[in-house]
Amino acid sequence: MKFKALALAATLLAALTSPVSAQIKEHVFKVGIGLNEDHPQAQAVKYFAQQLAAKSGGKMTAKLFASGTLGNDVSMTSALRGGTLEMTIPDSSTLVSLYKPFGVINLPLTFNSEQEADAILDGPVGQKLLAKLPEKGLIGLGYWENGFRHVTNSRRPITKAEDLAGLKLRVIQNPLFLDTFSALGSNPTPMPFTELYSAMEQAAVDGQENPSATILASKFYEVQKHMALSRHMYSAWILLMSKKSWDGLSAQEQKIVQDAAREATLYERKTIRAFGDKALGELKKVGMQITELPAAEQAKLRAKLQPVLAKYSKEFGEETTNEMLAELAKFRSK
C-alpha cells in the first residue's frame, strides 16, 4: 500500500514537473503553395515551421511543397476543406466563391499604401471576413502580403491608359479581374498561375499582372520585356488551415499554431516589402523596361473603372464595402 502511494505521488510529481512539450503530439503540417522556393512566401512558410518547432519543443512543424506540386490555389483550398491537405496560402480572391465579401480586398485602386492595407486586414473588416471561414471548412490564421499588382507584357511599353487596350493578359480566375481588364480595353485570359510562364513563353498570352516580388522570383523577365507600375490592385494572401486538421489539435496546440502564424505574418510582410523594394532594381538590371503611369493617366484608369467599382461594391456587399471605406477614411485622417 505504501509502495502504491509512493508510486502515485511520483507519477503526479512527474506530471506536474514534465515539460510542456510532453503534452503536445507530433504534427507535421503539409503546406502547399503555387510559388517557387525562392519567393518570400516560401521563406515565410519556412519561418513559420521554425516557430512551430521552437514553440512546441520540436513536436510540431510544417513542410513546404512549392511550385504547385500539390495543385493550384483553387484545388489546394478544396483539399483543405476536404481534409486531405493541412495548409495553403491562396490569394484572397480564391475565397470569393465561398464568401463574396472577401472580394472587397481586391477592389481596384482602393488602397494607397501597404499600411492602409494592414489597418483594414488586421482591423474589424479583415477579422470579420476570417470569422466566416470555419463554416466553410477553413481556419484563417492571418493575412500575408502579396502586394500592389503591376502589368507586364512582351509587346510594348505602357505609358498611358490607352496602351492597355488589346493586350491579352493572364488574370486570376475571378470575375472582378476579368471585368477590371475588360473595362481597361485589354483581353483578360483566366489561367492558373502554374501555367503562366509557359503561356507567356509560347506567346499564348501577351502578359500578366502581379506584384514585383512575384515577377522577379518567377523569372517573368525571361519572357517579358515591359513592366508598368500600374498599382491597379492590392493583393493579399490568406494563411489557411484545414478545419479538420485544426479540430484535431488540443487548445494548447492551437495556441502554438496561432502564435507561430502571428509571428510568421509579421515576418512575411517585412520580408516581401524588402524584397519588393529590391525587385525593381533587379528587374531593370536584367533588362526589363519599367514605366510609371503619371497621375493624369492613373485618373483615366480610375474613371474607366468606376462602373466596375459600382458593380462589385454591390456584389461583394455594400455593408462590407462601406465599412472598409469608413475604416480607410478614419485611418487617413490620423
Side-chain angles (χ1 to χ4, degrees):
M1 202 70 164
K2 188 178 179 182
F3 176 77
K4 282 185 180 177
L6 287 170
L8 178 61
T11 302
L12 288 170
L13 183 64
L16 290 169
T17 57
S18 63
V20 171
S21 62
Q23 302 163 29
I24 298 168
K25 294 177 184 174
E26 299 273 353
H27 294 282
V28 180
F29 305 120
K30 297 192 297 293
V31 186
I33 65 172
L35 295 157
N36 63 37
E37 289 210 30
D38 294 331
H39 197 282
Q41 189 192 71
Q43 295 171 26
V45 171
K46 292 173 185 174
Y47 183 83
F48 172 67
Q50 290 168 8
Q51 292 301 306
L52 276 178
K55 293 175 188 300
S56 65
K59 293 279 189 79
M60 301 169 74
T61 189
K63 186 175 181 184
L64 174 68
F65 291 83
S67 302
T69 52
L70 299 184
N72 58 40
D73 279 359
V74 175
S75 62
M76 286 190 288
T77 300
S78 178
L80 259 67
R81 297 181 74 203
T84 58
L85 176 63
E86 289 84 16
M87 300 183 75
T88 189
I89 315 165
D91 192 276
S92 61
S93 62
T94 306
L95 301 179
V96 173
S97 61
L98 300 178
Y99 185 60
K100 283 191 175 181
F102 271 103
V104 300
I105 297 168
N106 292 130
L107 285 172
L109 300 174
T110 298
F111 295 119
N112 294 328
S113 69
E114 290 85 353
Q115 291 68 36
E116 286 186 359
D118 288 352
I120 296 301
L121 299 177
D122 295 341
V125 176
Q127 298 314 299
K128 278 184 187 177
L129 293 174
L130 294 186
K132 288 289 182 181
L133 290 175
E135 64 193 60
K136 309 296 181 184
L138 302 166
I139 299 293
L141 294 168
Y143 293 95
W144 288 15
E145 179 160 291
N146 189 0
F148 284 98
R149 304 178 79 89
H150 308 296
V151 175
T152 70
N153 80 98
S154 56
R155 283 177 55 188
R156 57 173 176 261
I158 295 169
T159 58
K160 55 187 186 297
E162 290 76 15
D163 291 333
L164 287 162
L167 290 177
K168 188 173 184 180
L169 300 175
R170 174 268 176 183
V171 296
I172 286 176
Q173 298 155 291
N174 176 287
L176 171 62
F177 284 73
L178 287 164
D179 284 356
T180 293
F181 281 93
S182 292
L184 297 176
S186 303
N187 178 10
T189 305
M191 179 186 299
F193 183 82
T194 47
E195 298 172 17
L196 176 55
Y197 184 97
S198 60
M200 292 190 294
E201 188 176 36
Q202 294 159 20
V205 293
D206 297 319
Q208 58 85 54
E209 48 87 50
N210 257 301
S212 55
T214 298
I215 293 165
L216 177 63
S218 303
K219 300 184 178 179
F220 289 164
Y221 54 83
E222 294 176 345
V223 289
Q224 299 274 276
K225 186 176 182 182
H226 306 287
M227 176 177 176
L229 302 181
S230 50
R231 292 174 68 89
H232 55 273
M233 199 178 282
Y234 180 82
S235 190
W237 294 307
I238 301 182
L239 179 61
L240 293 178
M241 176 172 264
S242 163
K243 187 172 184 296
K244 287 189 178 180
S245 299
W246 177 260
D247 289 346
L249 302 176
S250 68
Q252 183 184 13
E253 290 165 344
Q254 289 176 351
K255 186 178 186 306
I256 289 170
V257 171
Q258 283 177 319
D259 290 347
R262 195 173 297 115
E263 292 188 27
T265 296
L266 295 174
Y267 174 88
E268 190 277 340
R269 290 177 183 174
K270 182 180 175 184
T271 304
I272 201 163
R273 286 167 190 171
F275 189 85
D277 289 342
K278 291 179 184 175
L280 292 180
E282 293 297 319
L283 289 168
K284 284 177 184 174
K285 276 184 194 173
V286 294
M288 276 199 105
Q289 294 182 11
I290 299 175
T291 56
E292 192 152 4
L293 294 175
E297 296 303 320
Q298 283 281 11
K300 284 186 193 174
L301 292 183
R302 194 176 294 277
K304 286 175 184 251
L305 290 173
Q306 284 310 304
V308 175
L309 285 164
K311 174 184 175 181
Y312 283 94
S313 292
K314 285 182 182 174
E315 183 155 329
F316 297 148
E318 289 186 325
E319 184 182 340
T320 305
T321 302
N322 291 336
E323 189 179 350
M324 179 178 73
L325 295 176
E327 289 289 324
L328 274 174
K330 199 187 298 181
F331 181 82
R332 288 168 182 166
S333 67
K334 286 179 181 176

